Amino acid sequence: MSTFTRTSTGTTSDGKNGTMNATREATTREATRRPRLSGMTWLVWRQHRAAFWTILAAAALSVAWMVYQRGQLVDFLDGYGYPGKDLSDADGAFQQYDDAFSSVAFGLQAIPVLLGVFLGAPLLAGDLENGTAKLVAAQSMSRTRWLATKLALTGLVVLVSTVALSAVFGWWWSPVKSEVTVLDWTSTDAFNNTGPVPFALTLLSVFGGVAIGAVLRRTLMAMVVTFGFSVLVQLVWGHFLMSLGNVITVTSNKGVVAEDAFPSLPKGAYQLDESYLTGGGDLLGWGTCNEATDQARELCMKKADVVGWSVDYLPMSQMNGMQWFGASILFALTAGVVAFLFLWGRKRLV
């Protein structure tokens, strides 16, 4: 009797332990299981995974290379004695680093065009051309959700890749940022590759390509038109770049020929215009009184009542604000493109 009781108790205990162990193992498996994509998200990622992984891998390699170049640059500057010594006295030793900045900046500026053509244009045009869109429309998922998932995943990939490249490029450039001879902050090489601008430009090009593909419904034609659209965006953006800042005017009243007559500007400031300033506050073009001799020029200045200079410039401190202001405009345009896509997609996206 006692033997039966002990056996029964032991069996019950083992059963409980087994159940508890199984429960713990199941809980551990659930906790350590990696999150998996499912549903529409899985479908879109699987369909475009080659393009997505290529973009992310290329961005990762570029980031690693720029991190290495940054280390090389810092070692050179420390050994050279910068900023105590001027880089202009480096006798060409800095040229390789300057060339590296220019080459990488040129490549980064091509990213909005490349992604617009090879990622944005085929995103919907391929599905509309080969009939995949009709197959998706026949399923239980709505076309709106399908479109939203495509745009969301594409935007996420663009965000991760461009923000990483922008941050690391800015970090690489930061030790010599005030040297206009390396990269002028007002140039597209610097302005378009740092801060929020790369993401904003790329997103507009990519989503613009998506909209073009949705309208044209032919992949090759959409890619050609998207190329023109992306290049046009870059040109227009570059044309209005300097209008994003608040122009500062500084004047002097020590004449125009004295050694210290010209107003001093902050380091890295971008000069927009310069004029002669008269005693009455009027501005005359700097070509005024462009006489052949110094004596005739001085007499002309006196007759015109020129008392000094008036200079318009943009300080380097405005760069970040200008970038965010410009990026907000680009984001607004992108939002308009997205709104068009959803309105178009409700009736024409099959």
Side-chain angles (χ1 to χ4, degrees), residues 116-301:
V117 172
F118 294 103
L119 178 63
L123 195 73
L124 291 181
D127 292 340
L128 293 170
E129 187 175 16
N130 59 31
T132 305
K134 293 183 178 180
L135 178 62
V136 172
Q139 307 305 312
S140 58
M141 297 294 183
S142 66
R143 286 175 292 181
T144 300
R145 181 176 177 183
W146 174 60
L147 176 60
T149 305
K150 273 183 173 282
L151 295 180
L153 281 180
T154 302
L156 180 61
V157 171
V158 171
L159 172 66
V160 172
S161 57
T162 56
V163 168
L165 291 171
S166 170
V168 176
F169 182 80
W171 179 61
W172 175 26
W173 177 45
S174 60
V176 291
K177 187 175 181 179
S178 60
E179 299 290 335
V180 294
T181 56
V182 179
L183 277 183
D184 185 357
W185 70 271
T186 61
S187 68
T188 54
D189 286 348
F191 198 92
N192 290 354
N193 293 326
T194 57
V197 176
F199 173 56
L201 273 175
T202 306
L203 196 67
L204 177 58
S205 296
V206 170
F207 283 4
V210 175
I212 292 170
V215 174
L216 297 181
R217 308 171 73 90
R218 294 293 182 271
T219 302
L220 183 59
M221 186 184 302
M223 293 173 71
V224 173
V225 176
T226 300
F227 175 81
F229 167 77
S230 301
V231 171
L232 181 62
V233 168
Q234 296 269 15
L235 292 175
V236 173
W237 170 258
H239 179 73
F240 290 102
L241 199 64
M242 291 299 99
S243 62
L244 299 173
N246 297 316
V247 179
I248 296 177
T249 301
V250 60
T251 60
S252 66
N253 58 2
K254 300 179 181 179
V256 295
V257 294
E259 185 176 349
D260 60 344
F262 198 83
S264 60
L265 304 181
K267 186 175 183 180
Y270 178 73
Q271 183 176 320
L272 297 171
D273 192 16
E274 61 183 43
S275 307
Y276 292 139
L277 179 67
T278 67
D282 296 326
L283 301 180
L284 302 176
W286 62 269
T288 304
C289 297
N290 192 15
E291 308 297 339
T293 64
D294 291 341
Q295 185 177 5
R297 183 167 177 262
E298 186 176 350
L299 289 173
C300 179
M301 293 284 187

Side-chain angles (χ1 to χ4, degrees), residues 303-324:
K303 184 178 180 180
D305 192 26
V306 173
V307 297
W309 290 97
S310 176
V311 180
D312 297 334
Y313 72 95
L314 290 173
M316 193 175 186
S317 58
Q318 289 192 17
M319 179 180 180
N320 190 54
M322 290 170 63
Q323 287 179 317
W324 278 104

